[in-house]
Amino acid sequence: MDPFMRPIVHVSRATRHDAPAIARLYLKAFKTSPHLPVFAPQYVGLSDEEIFRTGLALETNKVRQQIVGPNFSMKATVPTIDLQGKPVDRIIGYATWVSPDGPRKRMPWEWFFSKVYYRIRNHFKPIPLSEGIPPLLELTAEQKEYVFGEGRKWEGQKYWELILVCVDPVWQHQGVASALLKWGFRKARESNTAIYLESSPMGIPVYESKGFRIVASLPREICGVHTDTPGMIWEPRLNTKCAPLFPDEGSFWSCSTS
């Protein structure tokens, strides 16, 4: 696509009210993923209609908890027109970033929902999980501790971590993922820290083109399904003098630094 025809993408913090749209985006982006049997076996074999009917409420609740949690939940939006002819910002991408400096400062309402509301809600109406699935966050934490040592460090230095990035399939290859990545690049450069992520095999060329390099291969076997997950690192000191990561960025994207 001609870069001058790319949409104007804006990256900003997601809010709790964005959760339904982000959950729908997540299901659209990952329902055809080859890793679906590993990370979401409850959706395997279901039609698109069944996935949205059974999964939308569950994923919406999970996204709400992510947004009010201690990490940075970022949305990518484009200006568009709704059915009534009114201008709206449509969410077409989403990413979750973990700061190397610990939990972000949360607003009072976020603290209330995270510490009080969702704990009470999940006690009386717990989120269903498929049998046999281990706690993935604990599993990945153990693997990363084995590879990188204790704490969120790599070779003695702290790092940002990109937990998740997803883009509406209709808007892929139009600079949306790059906009979500650049938010992290800016933060990493400001604090002179590395970025760590775990890629799918299909994502390796994309991340390598942005300056990431593979530093570890993390084998996993979840529910009898084996997968190798490449651990990748991006370092500001290795990317400060190279060509611009996004040479045409000025014409189609903007970013909030908050």
Side-chain angles (χ1 to χ4, degrees):
M1 176 177 288
D2 186 336
F4 293 104
M5 298 298 291
R6 287 184 171 182
I8 300 174
V9 181
H10 179 70
V11 174
S12 60
R13 288 273 298 281
T15 71
R16 186 172 58 91
H17 302 292
D18 296 323
I22 292 172
R24 184 173 292 276
L25 167 71
Y26 175 83
L27 290 172
K28 287 176 64 177
F30 287 106
K31 62 185 175 64
T32 58
S33 169
H35 293 286
L36 192 68
V38 176
F39 295 105
Q42 65 268 32
Y43 301 136
V44 174
L46 300 183
S47 66
D48 291 357
E49 181 181 349
E50 291 172 325
I51 288 176
F52 284 108
R53 186 177 68 250
T54 61
L56 189 58
L58 168 64
E59 300 302 335
T60 297
N61 194 25
K62 289 165 63 177
V63 170
R64 284 197 181 107
Q65 293 184 69
Q66 292 172 7
I67 290 173
V68 300
N71 301 323
F72 290 85
S73 296
M74 311 302 298
K75 63 182 178 180
T77 60
V78 291
T80 185
I81 304 296
D82 65 12
L83 296 177
Q84 286 72 41
K86 297 180 180 179
V88 295
D89 289 328
R90 179 179 176 183
I91 298 175
I92 59 173
Y94 176 69
T96 302
W97 291 89
V98 180
S99 168
D101 298 319
R104 67 178 176 85
K105 184 178 180 180
R106 287 183 277 180
M107 300 295 289
W109 68 267
E110 292 178 314
W111 183 93
F112 170 78
F113 275 97
S114 177
K115 297 294 186 180
V116 180
Y117 177 78
Y118 284 120
R119 289 188 179 185
I120 295 175
R121 173 174 174 164
N122 292 336
H123 175 75
F124 291 101
K125 191 177 181 180
I127 297 177
L129 294 175
S130 299
E131 290 187 20
I133 301 180
L136 292 179
L137 291 179
E138 293 181 11
L139 178 67
T140 56
E142 291 177 359
Q143 290 173 328
K144 279 181 279 195
E145 183 173 315
Y146 174 77
V147 175
F148 299 103
E150 294 185 2
R152 194 170 299 282
K153 293 185 177 182
W154 176 74
E155 288 190 353
Q157 64 176 323
K158 295 181 178 180
Y159 61 85
W160 281 85
E161 182 172 0
L162 179 60
I163 296 291
L164 169 73
V165 59
C166 61
V167 177
D168 187 320
V170 176
W171 293 86
Q172 290 179 359
H173 310 298
Q174 298 189 45
V176 181
S178 294
L180 290 165
L181 277 172
K182 189 178 178 182
W183 184 91
F185 286 134
R186 176 174 295 176
K187 291 292 187 179
R189 282 201 174 105
E190 288 175 355
S191 56
N192 193 32
T193 54
I195 297 175
Y196 171 79
L197 61 80
E198 294 176 7
S199 172
S200 66
M202 294 179 294
I204 293 175
V206 176
Y207 291 121
E208 286 182 333
S209 71
K210 307 301 183 187
F212 283 88
R213 60 191 178 91
I214 297 175
V215 294
S217 179
L218 307 177
R220 295 177 180 160
E221 187 164 341
I222 305 173
C223 300
V225 180
H226 178 83
T227 179
D228 288 314
T229 302
M232 306 186 75
I233 284 284
W234 180 93
E235 296 180 86
R237 64 185 179 87
L238 299 180
N239 291 278
T240 53
K241 296 182 180 180
C242 62
L245 293 169
F246 307 94
D248 54 354
E249 63 191 22
S251 62
F252 73 96
W253 105 280
S254 64
C255 181
S256 168
T257 58
S258 61

